[in-house]
Amino acid sequence: MAELRMESTDLVLHLSPAEKVEGVHGDLRAPLSAVRGIEVIGDAHGAVGLHAGIKIGTRIPGVVEVGTILGRSRHLFAAVHHDTPRGVRVSLEGTPFDEWIVGCA
């Protein structure tokens, strides 16, 4: 399961080996100064589903959403599984991703 950790001056999204394959991506890192907000969300699958764009990774709506969504103006990385329906949204500025949505048990 994906895990958010603070490491020195960075926020790091650590992915499990399976999530790295599912998401076609490695761990993500952003400086703490780039974090604009963190929000608890009750339906992480629904939050990911609201984003339109090119999807790179694994997506079965409501079951697993791990990967990148490249929208016209926003880029999102999600790591949400059926056993992590709730989650957090990390809003970022000045990084390759505008937000991360991470499922939580």
Side-chain angles (χ1 to χ4, degrees):
M1 174 167 53
E3 185 177 297
L4 288 167
R5 291 187 207 154
M6 285 179 37
E7 294 180 2
S8 185
T9 60
D10 290 342
L11 180 63
V12 181
L13 176 54
H14 287 279
L15 302 174
S16 70
E19 288 168 329
K20 289 178 181 179
V21 172
E22 292 169 340
V24 193
H25 211 290
D27 293 342
L28 288 89
R29 180 176 293 271
L32 289 174
S33 61
V35 176
R36 293 294 167 250
I38 297 177
E39 171 189 3
V40 175
I41 47 180
D43 179 8
H45 289 288
V48 174
L50 294 175
H51 293 273
I54 298 169
K55 295 167 179 69
I56 303 165
T58 302
R59 183 159 194 257
I60 302 171
V63 178
V64 61
E65 282 129 338
V66 180
T68 302
I69 300 174
L70 302 173
R72 286 182 185 255
S73 62
R74 297 188 57 77
H75 294 165
L76 161 80
F77 188 87
V80 183
H81 295 278
H82 70 281
D83 59 344
T84 59
R86 297 175 21 165
V88 295
R89 176 191 332 263
V90 179
S91 299
L92 302 163
E93 186 176 277
T95 69
F97 291 99
D98 298 296
E99 61 186 70
W100 300 338
I101 295 179
V102 184
C104 299

